[in-house]
Amino acid sequence: MGTSDTHLLLSSIMLTFILCLSCSMAKVEALNKNVSAFYVFGDSTVDPGNNNYIDTPFRSDFPPYGMDFSSHVPTGRFSNGKLPTDYIASYIGLKELLPPYLDPNSNNLEVLMTGVSFASAGSGFDPLTPSISNVIPLPKQVEYFRACKQRLEGALGKQRSEDHMKKAVFFISAGTNDFVLNYFTLPMRRKTYTTPLAYQQFLIQHVKEFIQGLLAEGAQKIVIVGVPPIGCLPFMITLNSPNAFLQRDCLDNYSSVARDYNLLLQRELNGMQSQFRSFNPDAKIYYVDIYGPIADMIQAHEKFGFDEVNSGCCGSGYIEASVLCNKISNLCPDPSKYVFWDSIHPTEKAYHNLFLANVPKIDFIVNN
């Protein structure tokens, strides 16, 4: 093959690549004019399987996790099926399922362009929290996003990549592990932060720093989720109720901490939004409530078709999660009758209800 033939072949390959990339971009824009991509950060509520690719015991890539997922495959999602972010990605027309960033199949431009999850089950805003189970800290998740962004810049050019990021939605779901696995379970943080309020303020400072980090990377639409009624998690009832095996009611002294944190978080986000107006008027920060919808499913469970609200479907439902919920565990006959799949994580049906409860807010975020 001569030099001119080689140049012709390379030119043809480059042209084909550019055309394919343009088609991908056109496809994304055609699906949704307002949102170009969906990038997710956080913990097990939004981790579709990143923990499969790291050395941690906190994973769920084995049965019975995923039993109601397509092909009944355990993907690493901490549920019997889909996560809320899967429903959101499908609803806004980007992709049917949101993949984990660390999955080798995610390592192509079209997948990265429409969105991935960087989340890691067990992570949190407190730097101590991810170290408990050796999972991916939130700052490291931002590093992964930065590498993703650099790949897009190399393919699209800096200006098109910046425009793409301006229309992307950045979604953050974390904080529950900071309270459940860290502050209320281990003594270390309680020695330093002697009141829940002091610890809440510590967490919110980390939330602010995380959001500022995303803004510095070009994010314009940032969504942050509050924490659930943590006193209603089967795990918390088992560990903290004096008669956990006889009387399993929500523990309001723990859920009240979650409510207070959510109020402080909303107040802080409103303040940040006001600060940004002067130098970054296009940046928008949205709060999404999950406390209310989950509390409703528990308190009015018959209305939602649930029979069991204070124990999980897997094992005894009192303490099992991750490796303790496994292929030899007893299972409830019908997960759709349970709010919780294991002792911490909701079922696919509960997650779907959570998504449906927030559709008006999702529509508002997408269209503003």
Side-chain angles (χ1 to χ4, degrees), residues 319-356:
I319 197 72
E320 293 87 355
S322 189
V323 294
L324 297 179
C325 171
N326 54 60
K327 63 183 180 182
I328 63 171
S329 300
N330 293 324
L331 285 178
C332 68
D334 185 358
S336 71
K337 298 296 183 182
Y338 281 63
V339 171
F340 294 98
W341 164 248
D342 59 21
S343 67
I344 297 176
H345 306 98
T347 56
E348 180 182 64
K349 179 180 175 181
Y351 273 144
H352 188 244
N353 286 346
L354 190 56
F355 157 73
L356 292 175

PDB file of all heavy atoms in Angstrom, residues 319-356:
ATOM      1  N   ILE A 319     -31.508  -7.564  59.363  1.00  0.00           N
ATOM      2  CA  ILE A 319     -30.117  -7.098  59.406  1.00  0.00           C
ATOM      3  C   ILE A 319     -29.379  -7.330  58.093  1.00  0.00           C
ATOM      4  O   ILE A 319     -28.343  -6.731  57.822  1.00  0.00           O
ATOM      5  CB  ILE A 319     -29.358  -7.790  60.579  1.00  0.00           C
ATOM      6  CG1 ILE A 319     -28.064  -7.041  60.936  1.00  0.00           C
ATOM      7  CG2 ILE A 319     -29.081  -9.256  60.256  1.00  0.00           C
ATOM      8  CD1 ILE A 319     -28.305  -5.731  61.617  1.00  0.00           C
ATOM      9  N   GLU A 320     -29.916  -8.198  57.228  1.00  0.00           N
ATOM     10  CA  GLU A 320     -29.186  -8.609  56.026  1.00  0.00           C
ATOM     11  C   GLU A 320     -29.098  -7.485  54.989  1.00  0.00           C
ATOM     12  O   GLU A 320     -30.089  -6.832  54.680  1.00  0.00           O
ATOM     13  CB  GLU A 320     -29.855  -9.828  55.376  1.00  0.00           C
ATOM     14  CG  GLU A 320     -29.793 -11.089  56.200  1.00  0.00           C
ATOM     15  CD  GLU A 320     -30.934 -11.201  57.191  1.00  0.00           C
ATOM     16  OE1 GLU A 320     -31.729 -10.249  57.304  1.00  0.00           O
ATOM     17  OE2 GLU A 320     -31.027 -12.246  57.858  1.00  0.00           O
ATOM     18  N   ALA A 321     -27.893  -7.324  54.450  1.00  0.00           N
ATOM     19  CA  ALA A 321     -27.642  -6.435  53.309  1.00  0.00           C
ATOM     20  C   ALA A 321     -26.312  -6.863  52.708  1.00  0.00           C
ATOM     21  O   ALA A 321     -25.475  -7.459  53.392  1.00  0.00           O
ATOM     22  CB  ALA A 321     -27.589  -4.967  53.730  1.00  0.00           C
ATOM     23  N   SER A 322     -26.117  -6.589  51.440  1.00  0.00           N
ATOM     24  CA  SER A 322     -24.887  -6.961  50.741  1.00  0.00           C
ATOM     25  C   SER A 322     -24.621  -8.462  50.903  1.00  0.00           C
ATOM     26  O   SER A 322     -25.508  -9.270  50.644  1.00  0.00           O
ATOM     27  CB  SER A 322     -23.717  -6.116  51.243  1.00  0.00           C
ATOM     28  OG  SER A 322     -22.573  -6.307  50.447  1.00  0.00           O
ATOM     29  N   VAL A 323     -23.428  -8.868  51.377  1.00  0.00           N
ATOM     30  CA  VAL A 323     -23.067 -10.292  51.407  1.00  0.00           C
ATOM     31  C   VAL A 323     -23.959 -11.113  52.331  1.00  0.00           C
ATOM     32  O   VAL A 323     -24.038 -12.344  52.191  1.00  0.00           O
ATOM     33  CB  VAL A 323     -21.586 -10.489  51.815  1.00  0.00           C
ATOM     34  CG1 VAL A 323     -20.666  -9.915  50.755  1.00  0.00           C
ATOM     35  CG2 VAL A 323     -21.299  -9.845  53.168  1.00  0.00           C
ATOM     36  N   LEU A 324     -24.640 -10.470  53.266  1.00  0.00           N
ATOM     37  CA  LEU A 324     -25.549 -11.207  54.150  1.00  0.00           C
ATOM     38  C   LEU A 324     -26.861 -11.555  53.463  1.00  0.00           C
ATOM     39  O   LEU A 324     -27.599 -12.424  53.941  1.00  0.00           O
ATOM     40  CB  LEU A 324     -25.828 -10.408  55.436  1.00  0.00           C
ATOM     41  CG  LEU A 324     -24.620 -10.142  56.332  1.00  0.00           C
ATOM     42  CD1 LEU A 324     -25.028  -9.319  57.546  1.00  0.00           C
ATOM     43  CD2 LEU A 324     -23.980 -11.447  56.766  1.00  0.00           C
ATOM     44  N   CYS A 325     -27.152 -10.873  52.375  1.00  0.00           N
ATOM     45  CA  CYS A 325     -28.298 -11.221  51.529  1.00  0.00           C
ATOM     46  C   CYS A 325     -27.724 -11.949  50.319  1.00  0.00           C
ATOM     47  O   CYS A 325     -27.164 -11.326  49.425  1.00  0.00           O
ATOM     48  CB  CYS A 325     -29.054  -9.961  51.111  1.00  0.00           C
ATOM     49  SG  CYS A 325     -30.340 -10.233  49.869  1.00  0.00           S
ATOM     50  N   ASN A 326     -27.844 -13.270  50.297  1.00  0.00           N
ATOM     51  CA  ASN A 326     -27.154 -14.054  49.273  1.00  0.00           C
ATOM     52  C   ASN A 326     -28.039 -15.186  48.765  1.00  0.00           C
ATOM     53  O   ASN A 326     -29.215 -15.292  49.163  1.00  0.00           O
ATOM     54  CB  ASN A 326     -25.830 -14.582  49.814  1.00  0.00           C
ATOM     55  CG  ASN A 326     -26.002 -15.353  51.110  1.00  0.00           C
ATOM     56  OD1 ASN A 326     -26.703 -16.346  51.157  1.00  0.00           O
ATOM     57  ND2 ASN A 326     -25.373 -14.859  52.183  1.00  0.00           N
ATOM     58  N   LYS A 327     -27.495 -16.034  47.924  1.00  0.00           N
ATOM     59  CA  LYS A 327     -28.303 -17.047  47.239  1.00  0.00           C
ATOM     60  C   LYS A 327     -28.871 -18.117  48.169  1.00  0.00           C
ATOM     61  O   LYS A 327     -29.798 -18.836  47.780  1.00  0.00           O
ATOM     62  CB  LYS A 327     -27.502 -17.702  46.118  1.00  0.00           C
ATOM     63  CG  LYS A 327     -26.273 -18.457  46.559  1.00  0.00           C
ATOM     64  CD  LYS A 327     -25.529 -19.005  45.347  1.00  0.00           C
ATOM     65  CE  LYS A 327     -24.280 -19.770  45.768  1.00  0.00           C
ATOM     66  NZ  LYS A 327     -23.535 -20.259  44.580  1.00  0.00           N
ATOM     67  N   ILE A 328     -28.343 -18.226  49.395  1.00  0.00           N
ATOM     68  CA  ILE A 328     -28.923 -19.203  50.323  1.00  0.00           C
ATOM     69  C   ILE A 328     -29.868 -18.539  51.327  1.00  0.00           C
ATOM     70  O   ILE A 328     -30.415 -19.216  52.208  1.00  0.00           O
ATOM     71  CB  ILE A 328     -27.819 -19.991  51.065  1.00  0.00           C
ATOM     72  CG1 ILE A 328     -26.974 -19.070  51.938  1.00  0.00           C
ATOM     73  CG2 ILE A 328     -26.946 -20.767  50.085  1.00  0.00           C
ATOM     74  CD1 ILE A 328     -26.013 -19.818  52.856  1.00  0.00           C
ATOM     75  N   SER A 329     -30.063 -17.223  51.199  1.00  0.00           N
ATOM     76  CA  SER A 329     -30.980 -16.516  52.097  1.00  0.00           C
ATOM     77  C   SER A 329     -32.427 -16.876  51.771  1.00  0.00           C
ATOM     78  O   SER A 329     -32.780 -17.097  50.611  1.00  0.00           O
ATOM     79  CB  SER A 329     -30.803 -14.999  51.965  1.00  0.00           C
ATOM     80  OG  SER A 329     -29.505 -14.593  52.291  1.00  0.00           O
ATOM     81  N   ASN A 330     -33.258 -16.907  52.792  1.00  0.00           N
ATOM     82  CA  ASN A 330     -34.687 -17.036  52.559  1.00  0.00           C
ATOM     83  C   ASN A 330     -35.197 -15.765  51.893  1.00  0.00           C
ATOM     84  O   ASN A 330     -34.697 -14.676  52.161  1.00  0.00           O
ATOM     85  CB  ASN A 330     -35.431 -17.248  53.882  1.00  0.00           C
ATOM     86  CG  ASN A 330     -35.105 -18.583  54.511  1.00  0.00           C
ATOM     87  OD1 ASN A 330     -34.923 -19.582  53.811  1.00  0.00           O
ATOM     88  ND2 ASN A 330     -35.027 -18.610  55.834  1.00  0.00           N
ATOM     89  N   LEU A 331     -36.189 -15.932  51.039  1.00  0.00           N
ATOM     90  CA  LEU A 331     -36.771 -14.775  50.356  1.00  0.00           C
ATOM     91  C   LEU A 331     -38.271 -14.739  50.572  1.00  0.00           C
ATOM     92  O   LEU A 331     -38.923 -15.791  50.667  1.00  0.00           O
ATOM     93  CB  LEU A 331     -36.491 -14.841  48.852  1.00  0.00           C
ATOM     94  CG  LEU A 331     -35.084 -14.520  48.360  1.00  0.00           C
ATOM     95  CD1 LEU A 331     -35.016 -14.684  46.855  1.00  0.00           C
ATOM     96  CD2 LEU A 331     -34.668 -13.126  48.771  1.00  0.00           C
ATOM     97  N   CYS A 332     -38.796 -13.525  50.630  1.00  0.00           N
ATOM     98  CA  CYS A 332     -40.249 -13.379  50.682  1.00  0.00           C
ATOM     99  C   CYS A 332     -40.842 -13.847  49.356  1.00  0.00           C
ATOM    100  O   CYS A 332     -40.173 -13.812  48.318  1.00  0.00           O
ATOM    101  CB  CYS A 332     -40.618 -11.923  50.951  1.00  0.00           C
ATOM    102  SG  CYS A 332     -40.220 -10.786  49.599  1.00  0.00           S
ATOM    103  N   PRO A 333     -42.086 -14.301  49.343  1.00  0.00           N
ATOM    104  CA  PRO A 333     -42.667 -14.811  48.097  1.00  0.00           C
ATOM    105  C   PRO A 333     -42.927 -13.744  47.040  1.00  0.00           C
ATOM    106  O   PRO A 333     -42.947 -14.046  45.846  1.00  0.00           O
ATOM    107  CB  PRO A 333     -43.979 -15.463  48.556  1.00  0.00           C
ATOM    108  CG  PRO A 333     -44.286 -14.829  49.870  1.00  0.00           C
ATOM    109  CD  PRO A 333     -42.977 -14.489  50.493  1.00  0.00           C
ATOM    110  N   ASP A 334     -43.097 -12.476  47.462  1.00  0.00           N
ATOM    111  CA  ASP A 334     -43.451 -11.422  46.509  1.00  0.00           C
ATOM    112  C   ASP A 334     -42.817 -10.094  46.944  1.00  0.00           C
ATOM    113  O   ASP A 334     -43.367  -9.393  47.794  1.00  0.00           O
ATOM    114  CB  ASP A 334     -44.969 -11.277  46.433  1.00  0.00           C
ATOM    115  CG  ASP A 334     -45.413 -10.284  45.366  1.00  0.00           C
ATOM    116  OD1 ASP A 334     -44.535  -9.676  44.705  1.00  0.00           O
ATOM    117  OD2 ASP A 334     -46.638 -10.106  45.195  1.00  0.00           O
ATOM    118  N   PRO A 335     -41.653  -9.733  46.351  1.00  0.00           N
ATOM    119  CA  PRO A 335     -40.994  -8.479  46.743  1.00  0.00           C
ATOM    120  C   PRO A 335     -41.859  -7.237  46.535  1.00  0.00           C
ATOM    121  O   PRO A 335     -41.654  -6.225  47.220  1.00  0.00           O
ATOM    122  CB  PRO A 335     -39.757  -8.435  45.831  1.00  0.00           C
ATOM    123  CG  PRO A 335     -39.503  -9.853  45.460  1.00  0.00           C
ATOM    124  CD  PRO A 335     -40.856 -10.493  45.383  1.00  0.00           C
ATOM    125  N   SER A 336     -42.809  -7.294  45.618  1.00  0.00           N
ATOM    126  CA  SER A 336     -43.642  -6.117  45.352  1.00  0.00           C
ATOM    127  C   SER A 336     -44.560  -5.778  46.527  1.00  0.00           C
ATOM    128  O   SER A 336     -45.160  -4.701  46.554  1.00  0.00           O
ATOM    129  CB  SER A 336     -44.479  -6.324  44.089  1.00  0.00           C
ATOM    130  OG  SER A 336     -45.497  -7.282  44.303  1.00  0.00           O
ATOM    131  N   LYS A 337     -44.658  -6.683  47.493  1.00  0.00           N
ATOM    132  CA  LYS A 337     -45.460  -6.419  48.685  1.00  0.00           C
ATOM    133  C   LYS A 337     -44.627  -5.794  49.802  1.00  0.00           C
ATOM    134  O   LYS A 337     -45.145  -5.496  50.878  1.00  0.00           O
ATOM    135  CB  LYS A 337     -46.099  -7.715  49.202  1.00  0.00           C
ATOM    136  CG  LYS A 337     -47.073  -8.363  48.217  1.00  0.00           C
ATOM    137  CD  LYS A 337     -48.268  -7.460  47.955  1.00  0.00           C
ATOM    138  CE  LYS A 337     -49.276  -8.124  47.036  1.00  0.00           C
ATOM    139  NZ  LYS A 337     -50.430  -7.221  46.751  1.00  0.00           N
ATOM    140  N   TYR A 338     -43.334  -5.608  49.549  1.00  0.00           N
ATOM    141  CA  TYR A 338     -42.399  -5.081  50.539  1.00  0.00           C
ATOM    142  C   TYR A 338     -41.886  -3.707  50.117  1.00  0.00           C
ATOM    143  O   TYR A 338     -41.558  -3.498  48.951  1.00  0.00           O
ATOM    144  CB  TYR A 338     -41.197  -6.009  50.693  1.00  0.00           C
ATOM    145  CG  TYR A 338     -41.438  -7.231  51.554  1.00  0.00           C
ATOM    146  CD1 TYR A 338     -42.371  -8.188  51.190  1.00  0.00           C
ATOM    147  CD2 TYR A 338     -40.720  -7.429  52.746  1.00  0.00           C
ATOM    148  CE1 TYR A 338     -42.595  -9.312  51.977  1.00  0.00           C
ATOM    149  CE2 TYR A 338     -40.929  -8.543  53.539  1.00  0.00           C
ATOM    150  CZ  TYR A 338     -41.870  -9.475  53.155  1.00  0.00           C
ATOM    151  OH  TYR A 338     -42.079 -10.580  53.940  1.00  0.00           O
ATOM    152  N   VAL A 339     -41.782  -2.797  51.071  1.00  0.00           N
ATOM    153  CA  VAL A 339     -41.133  -1.510  50.809  1.00  0.00           C
ATOM    154  C   VAL A 339     -39.629  -1.714  50.689  1.00  0.00           C
ATOM    155  O   VAL A 339     -38.976  -1.110  49.833  1.00  0.00           O
ATOM    156  CB  VAL A 339     -41.451  -0.495  51.919  1.00  0.00           C
ATOM    157  CG1 VAL A 339     -40.603   0.776  51.753  1.00  0.00           C
ATOM    158  CG2 VAL A 339     -42.928  -0.124  51.903  1.00  0.00           C
ATOM    159  N   PHE A 340     -39.069  -2.608  51.524  1.00  0.00           N
ATOM    160  CA  PHE A 340     -37.622  -2.805  51.547  1.00  0.00           C
ATOM    161  C   PHE A 340     -37.241  -4.171  50.985  1.00  0.00           C
ATOM    162  O   PHE A 340     -37.872  -5.181  51.281  1.00  0.00           O
ATOM    163  CB  PHE A 340     -37.079  -2.660  52.969  1.00  0.00           C
ATOM    164  CG  PHE A 340     -37.211  -1.270  53.517  1.00  0.00           C
ATOM    165  CD1 PHE A 340     -38.265  -0.932  54.363  1.00  0.00           C
ATOM    166  CD2 PHE A 340     -36.299  -0.283  53.168  1.00  0.00           C
ATOM    167  CE1 PHE A 340     -38.396   0.350  54.850  1.00  0.00           C
ATOM    168  CE2 PHE A 340     -36.417   1.011  53.647  1.00  0.00           C
ATOM    169  CZ  PHE A 340     -37.476   1.332  54.489  1.00  0.00           C
ATOM    170  N   TRP A 341     -36.189  -4.154  50.177  1.00  0.00           N
ATOM    171  CA  TRP A 341     -35.653  -5.391  49.615  1.00  0.00           C
ATOM    172  C   TRP A 341     -34.746  -6.107  50.619  1.00  0.00           C
ATOM    173  O   TRP A 341     -34.917  -7.284  50.904  1.00  0.00           O
ATOM    174  CB  TRP A 341     -34.887  -5.086  48.324  1.00  0.00           C
ATOM    175  CG  TRP A 341     -33.985  -6.191  47.878  1.00  0.00           C
ATOM    176  CD1 TRP A 341     -32.624  -6.184  47.859  1.00  0.00           C
ATOM    177  CD2 TRP A 341     -34.375  -7.478  47.406  1.00  0.00           C
ATOM    178  NE1 TRP A 341     -32.139  -7.390  47.413  1.00  0.00           N
ATOM    179  CE2 TRP A 341     -33.207  -8.197  47.122  1.00  0.00           C
ATOM    180  CE3 TRP A 341     -35.615  -8.097  47.202  1.00  0.00           C
ATOM    181  CZ2 TRP A 341     -33.216  -9.509  46.645  1.00  0.00           C
ATOM    182  CZ3 TRP A 341     -35.638  -9.407  46.724  1.00  0.00           C
ATOM    183  CH2 TRP A 341     -34.453 -10.098  46.447  1.00  0.00           C
ATOM    184  N   ASP A 342     -33.754  -5.366  51.146  1.00  0.00           N
ATOM    185  CA  ASP A 342     -32.936  -5.896  52.241  1.00  0.00           C
ATOM    186  C   ASP A 342     -33.136  -4.970  53.439  1.00  0.00           C
ATOM    187  O   ASP A 342     -34.126  -4.236  53.487  1.00  0.00           O
ATOM    188  CB  ASP A 342     -31.465  -6.057  51.824  1.00  0.00           C
ATOM    189  CG  ASP A 342     -30.812  -4.751  51.382  1.00  0.00           C
ATOM    190  OD1 ASP A 342     -31.309  -3.669  51.746  1.00  0.00           O
ATOM    191  OD2 ASP A 342     -29.791  -4.820  50.662  1.00  0.00           O
ATOM    192  N   SER A 343     -32.235  -4.993  54.392  1.00  0.00           N
ATOM    193  CA  SER A 343     -32.477  -4.228  55.617  1.00  0.00           C
ATOM    194  C   SER A 343     -32.229  -2.731  55.463  1.00  0.00           C
ATOM    195  O   SER A 343     -32.486  -1.967  56.391  1.00  0.00           O
ATOM    196  CB  SER A 343     -31.605  -4.771  56.756  1.00  0.00           C
ATOM    197  OG  SER A 343     -30.233  -4.533  56.489  1.00  0.00           O
ATOM    198  N   ILE A 344     -31.741  -2.315  54.285  1.00  0.00           N
ATOM    199  CA  ILE A 344     -31.440  -0.894  54.066  1.00  0.00           C
ATOM    200  C   ILE A 344     -32.079  -0.356  52.786  1.00  0.00           C
ATOM    201  O   ILE A 344     -32.558   0.789  52.755  1.00  0.00           O
ATOM    202  CB  ILE A 344     -29.902  -0.677  53.998  1.00  0.00           C
ATOM    203  CG1 ILE A 344     -29.253  -1.055  55.335  1.00  0.00           C
ATOM    204  CG2 ILE A 344     -29.563   0.768  53.644  1.00  0.00           C
ATOM    205  CD1 ILE A 344     -27.727  -0.967  55.327  1.00  0.00           C
ATOM    206  N   HIS A 345     -32.126  -1.168  51.740  1.00  0.00           N
ATOM    207  CA  HIS A 345     -32.474  -0.664  50.412  1.00  0.00           C
ATOM    208  C   HIS A 345     -33.907  -1.014  50.006  1.00  0.00           C
ATOM    209  O   HIS A 345     -34.358  -2.142  50.233  1.00  0.00           O
ATOM    210  CB  HIS A 345     -31.500  -1.233  49.378  1.00  0.00           C
ATOM    211  CG  HIS A 345     -30.070  -0.979  49.724  1.00  0.00           C
ATOM    212  ND1 HIS A 345     -29.265  -1.918  50.339  1.00  0.00           N
ATOM    213  CD2 HIS A 345     -29.303   0.129  49.557  1.00  0.00           C
ATOM    214  CE1 HIS A 345     -28.067  -1.408  50.540  1.00  0.00           C
ATOM    215  NE2 HIS A 345     -28.063  -0.166  50.079  1.00  0.00           N
ATOM    216  N   PRO A 346     -34.599  -0.072  49.371  1.00  0.00           N
ATOM    217  CA  PRO A 346     -35.960  -0.340  48.913  1.00  0.00           C
ATOM    218  C   PRO A 346     -36.029  -1.350  47.764  1.00  0.00           C
ATOM    219  O   PRO A 346     -35.039  -1.632  47.087  1.00  0.00           O
ATOM    220  CB  PRO A 346     -36.446   1.049  48.444  1.00  0.00           C
ATOM    221  CG  PRO A 346     -35.608   2.016  49.207  1.00  0.00           C
ATOM    222  CD  PRO A 346     -34.259   1.361  49.299  1.00  0.00           C
ATOM    223  N   THR A 347     -37.228  -1.868  47.572  1.00  0.00           N
ATOM    224  CA  THR A 347     -37.494  -2.744  46.429  1.00  0.00           C
ATOM    225  C   THR A 347     -37.639  -1.916  45.153  1.00  0.00           C
ATOM    226  O   THR A 347     -37.790  -0.690  45.198  1.00  0.00           O
ATOM    227  CB  THR A 347     -38.799  -3.531  46.640  1.00  0.00           C
ATOM    228  OG1 THR A 347     -39.872  -2.587  46.881  1.00  0.00           O
ATOM    229  CG2 THR A 347     -38.699  -4.492  47.802  1.00  0.00           C
ATOM    230  N   GLU A 348     -37.627  -2.600  44.025  1.00  0.00           N
ATOM    231  CA  GLU A 348     -37.834  -1.924  42.749  1.00  0.00           C
ATOM    232  C   GLU A 348     -39.173  -1.196  42.735  1.00  0.00           C
ATOM    233  O   GLU A 348     -39.278  -0.066  42.240  1.00  0.00           O
ATOM    234  CB  GLU A 348     -37.783  -2.941  41.607  1.00  0.00           C
ATOM    235  CG  GLU A 348     -37.996  -2.312  40.226  1.00  0.00           C
ATOM    236  CD  GLU A 348     -37.992  -3.349  39.117  1.00  0.00           C
ATOM    237  OE1 GLU A 348     -38.892  -4.211  39.124  1.00  0.00           O
ATOM    238  OE2 GLU A 348     -37.109  -3.285  38.249  1.00  0.00           O
ATOM    239  N   LYS A 349     -40.217  -1.809  43.285  1.00  0.00           N
ATOM    240  CA  LYS A 349     -41.531  -1.162  43.297  1.00  0.00           C
ATOM    241  C   LYS A 349     -41.497   0.126  44.119  1.00  0.00           C
ATOM    242  O   LYS A 349     -42.055   1.153  43.710  1.00  0.00           O
ATOM    243  CB  LYS A 349     -42.587  -2.109  43.856  1.00  0.00           C
ATOM    244  CG  LYS A 349     -43.982  -1.485  43.917  1.00  0.00           C
ATOM    245  CD  LYS A 349     -45.016  -2.440  44.481  1.00  0.00           C
ATOM    246  CE  LYS A 349     -46.367  -1.763  44.644  1.00  0.00           C
ATOM    247  NZ  LYS A 349     -47.382  -2.691  45.215  1.00  0.00           N
ATOM    248  N   ALA A 350     -40.832   0.080  45.272  1.00  0.00           N
ATOM    249  CA  ALA A 350     -40.729   1.287  46.100  1.00  0.00           C
ATOM    250  C   ALA A 350     -39.933   2.371  45.370  1.00  0.00           C
ATOM    251  O   ALA A 350     -40.285   3.555  45.409  1.00  0.00           O
ATOM    252  CB  ALA A 350     -40.086   0.949  47.440  1.00  0.00           C
ATOM    253  N   TYR A 351     -38.861   1.958  44.696  1.00  0.00           N
ATOM    254  CA  TYR A 351     -38.072   2.923  43.922  1.00  0.00           C
ATOM    255  C   TYR A 351     -38.914   3.523  42.792  1.00  0.00           C
ATOM    256  O   TYR A 351     -38.789   4.712  42.483  1.00  0.00           O
ATOM    257  CB  TYR A 351     -36.829   2.249  43.354  1.00  0.00           C
ATOM    258  CG  TYR A 351     -35.634   2.235  44.271  1.00  0.00           C
ATOM    259  CD1 TYR A 351     -34.766   1.135  44.294  1.00  0.00           C
ATOM    260  CD2 TYR A 351     -35.334   3.314  45.102  1.00  0.00           C
ATOM    261  CE1 TYR A 351     -33.646   1.124  45.126  1.00  0.00           C
ATOM    262  CE2 TYR A 351     -34.226   3.302  45.929  1.00  0.00           C
ATOM    263  CZ  TYR A 351     -33.390   2.208  45.934  1.00  0.00           C
ATOM    264  OH  TYR A 351     -32.275   2.207  46.752  1.00  0.00           O
ATOM    265  N   HIS A 352     -39.729   2.691  42.157  1.00  0.00           N
ATOM    266  CA  HIS A 352     -40.575   3.206  41.075  1.00  0.00           C
ATOM    267  C   HIS A 352     -41.591   4.205  41.625  1.00  0.00           C
ATOM    268  O   HIS A 352     -41.847   5.251  41.012  1.00  0.00           O
ATOM    269  CB  HIS A 352     -41.286   2.052  40.363  1.00  0.00           C
ATOM    270  CG  HIS A 352     -42.021   2.483  39.138  1.00  0.00           C
ATOM    271  ND1 HIS A 352     -43.396   2.385  39.008  1.00  0.00           N
ATOM    272  CD2 HIS A 352     -41.579   3.050  37.978  1.00  0.00           C
ATOM    273  CE1 HIS A 352     -43.762   2.856  37.832  1.00  0.00           C
ATOM    274  NE2 HIS A 352     -42.682   3.265  37.184  1.00  0.00           N
ATOM    275  N   ASN A 353     -42.183   3.902  42.777  1.00  0.00           N
ATOM    276  CA  ASN A 353     -43.099   4.848  43.405  1.00  0.00           C
ATOM    277  C   ASN A 353     -42.401   6.155  43.756  1.00  0.00           C
ATOM    278  O   ASN A 353     -42.971   7.246  43.618  1.00  0.00           O
ATOM    279  CB  ASN A 353     -43.695   4.239  44.674  1.00  0.00           C
ATOM    280  CG  ASN A 353     -44.731   3.176  44.393  1.00  0.00           C
ATOM    281  OD1 ASN A 353     -45.211   3.051  43.272  1.00  0.00           O
ATOM    282  ND2 ASN A 353     -45.064   2.377  45.397  1.00  0.00           N
ATOM    283  N   LEU A 354     -41.164   6.032  44.218  1.00  0.00           N
ATOM    284  CA  LEU A 354     -40.367   7.217  44.547  1.00  0.00           C
ATOM    285  C   LEU A 354     -40.143   8.068  43.302  1.00  0.00           C
ATOM    286  O   LEU A 354     -40.252   9.308  43.341  1.00  0.00           O
ATOM    287  CB  LEU A 354     -39.037   6.771  45.138  1.00  0.00           C
ATOM    288  CG  LEU A 354     -38.124   7.803  45.766  1.00  0.00           C
ATOM    289  CD1 LEU A 354     -38.834   8.568  46.858  1.00  0.00           C
ATOM    290  CD2 LEU A 354     -36.881   7.116  46.321  1.00  0.00           C
ATOM    291  N   PHE A 355     -39.844   7.417  42.189  1.00  0.00           N
ATOM    292  CA  PHE A 355     -39.683   8.125  40.916  1.00  0.00           C
ATOM    293  C   PHE A 355     -40.990   8.814  40.520  1.00  0.00           C
ATOM    294  O   PHE A 355     -40.996  10.002  40.173  1.00  0.00           O
ATOM    295  CB  PHE A 355     -39.246   7.135  39.828  1.00  0.00           C
ATOM    296  CG  PHE A 355     -39.566   7.571  38.430  1.00  0.00           C
ATOM    297  CD1 PHE A 355     -38.859   8.595  37.825  1.00  0.00           C
ATOM    298  CD2 PHE A 355     -40.596   6.961  37.715  1.00  0.00           C
ATOM    299  CE1 PHE A 355     -39.168   9.010  36.540  1.00  0.00           C
ATOM    300  CE2 PHE A 355     -40.899   7.367  36.430  1.00  0.00           C
ATOM    301  CZ  PHE A 355     -40.192   8.392  35.841  1.00  0.00           C
ATOM    302  N   LEU A 356     -42.100   8.085  40.583  1.00  0.00           N
ATOM    303  CA  LEU A 356     -43.393   8.653  40.181  1.00  0.00           C
ATOM    304  C   LEU A 356     -43.760   9.867  41.034  1.00  0.00           C
ATOM    305  O   LEU A 356     -44.301  10.850  40.524  1.00  0.00           O
ATOM    306  CB  LEU A 356     -44.490   7.597  40.286  1.00  0.00           C
ATOM    307  CG  LEU A 356     -44.415   6.429  39.293  1.00  0.00           C
ATOM    308  CD1 LEU A 356     -45.509   5.405  39.597  1.00  0.00           C
ATOM    309  CD2 LEU A 356     -44.543   6.922  37.853  1.00  0.00           C
TER     310      LEU A 356
END
